[in-house]
Amino acid sequence: MKNGIIITFEGPDGAGKTTVLEKVLPVLQEKDYDIVTTREPGGVEIAERIRDVILDVKHVAMDSKTELLLYMAARRQHYVEKVLPALEAGKVVLIDRFIDSSVVYQGAGRGLDKDIIAKLNEFSTDGREPDLTLYFDVESEIGLARIAKNADREVNRLDLEKLDMHKRVRQGYLALAQTEERIVTIDASRNLDQVVAEATQVILEQLS
Ligand code: TYD
């Protein structure tokens, strides 16, 4: 069995991580790395259907624990069906959100028990953690203003949360970045080219 690598992209809504991922991808492919890109929640059909249920703006009645369990269900299916085979084939797997999103959104954001979230993360991924995590840091006000300006972006249920929740999420990421060595913090308040350049450099260092 070959050993692939997991690199995750994390950050509050509006940090721009998805755009950065799209821009970094061709640079890595040009250097002949065998890359798979994917996202959570989603990435495979079953998990995409769970995603629709989680993010539907009509689902205001969703309980926080239900939300947590749905993210975990989506994570498990995506991990087994897509991430694991790619790792076994020796690929570099770039994931737009992964285990840290649950720690931060459902833990710091919703106030659910962090130990339970850690256990469920471990259960969903058989304990496999990312090799490298890029955390795109941006102040909540800036992130929310970017979302409001981006007319193409579909608004989801989590986007409708108040500034308060977004601030707790950011604090959660900052705290996590202090404790996890695999997390590299990138200042995402700068212009896109600078952020892409730094993200590319950090990834290439990890792969070399
Ligand atoms: P998405 O459209 O991917 O948001 P973004 O473009 O900002 O990444 O929607 C995913 C939403 O789900 C986002 O608000 C973060 C949230 N989320 C959690 O709350 N917990 C999780 O475990 C994951 C993976 C995502």
Side-chain angles (χ1 to χ4, degrees):
M1 179 179 127
K2 286 199 256 175
N3 268 338
I5 282 183
I6 301 181
I7 300 176
T8 57
F9 285 56
E10 292 280 355
D13 301 76
K17 63 184 171 43
T18 309
T19 311
V20 176
L21 197 157
E22 282 164 11
K23 297 225 171 231
V24 168
L25 176 64
V27 182
L28 299 178
Q29 282 169 333
E30 219 169 84
K31 293 191 184 293
D32 271 352
Y33 289 108
D34 199 353
I35 315 272
V36 171
T37 62
T38 185
R39 69 166 179 182
E40 278 202 8
V44 293
E45 193 194 336
I46 295 170
E48 287 290 338
R49 291 183 69 175
I50 298 172
R51 176 189 177 93
D52 290 342
V53 173
I54 301 174
L55 296 180
D56 193 324
V57 287
K58 290 199 300 289
H59 292 171
V60 283
M62 190 178 291
D63 174 76
S64 300
K65 293 183 185 176
T66 308
E67 182 185 280
L68 169 67
L69 293 168
L70 287 172
Y71 277 118
M72 291 297 173
R75 175 160 303 135
R76 176 64 186 167
Q77 188 63 33
H78 174 246
Y79 182 73
V80 169
E81 226 188 297
K82 191 162 182 183
V83 178
L84 198 54
L87 290 175
E88 284 172 352
K91 299 188 181 184
V92 178
V93 189
L94 305 183
I95 317 180
D96 189 344
R97 297 196 181 282
F98 192 48
I99 52 173
D100 299 332
S101 283
S102 295
V103 174
V104 166
Y105 281 79
Q106 280 65 54
R110 302 280 194 219
L112 295 178
D113 188 319
K114 294 231 165 81
D115 293 336
I116 292 177
I117 296 171
K119 279 263 172 263
L120 288 170
N121 270 336
E122 197 186 337
F123 186 63
S124 307
T125 65
D126 301 325
R128 181 66 160 89
E129 293 193 349
D131 299 279
L132 169 70
T133 296
L134 306 186
Y135 162 52
F136 295 90
D137 181 52
V138 72
E139 274 181 45
S140 308
E141 286 85 353
I142 299 177
L144 288 174
R146 284 182 183 167
I147 294 174
K149 253 181 38 191
N150 184 353
D152 295 342
R153 190 179 187 282
E154 211 176 298
V155 173
N156 68 48
R157 193 172 55 84
L158 276 283
D159 292 336
L160 303 177
E161 293 292 341
K162 301 276 175 297
L163 180 62
D164 226 39
M165 162 91 175
H166 289 275
K167 287 195 160 165
R168 285 197 301 277
V169 164
R170 177 168 185 240
Q171 291 312 316
Y173 272 123
L174 290 171
L176 198 61
Q178 297 284 317
T179 59
E180 292 289 342
E181 234 173 86
R182 65 177 160 78
I183 301 182
V184 175
T185 301
I186 293 180
D187 175 4
S189 66
R190 296 168 300 167
N191 72 48
L192 184 61
D193 287 348
Q194 286 174 304
V195 178
V196 170
E198 190 180 342
T200 308
Q201 190 195 336
V202 172
I203 292 174
L204 288 175
E205 270 166 27
Q206 171 78 31
L207 295 180
S208 66

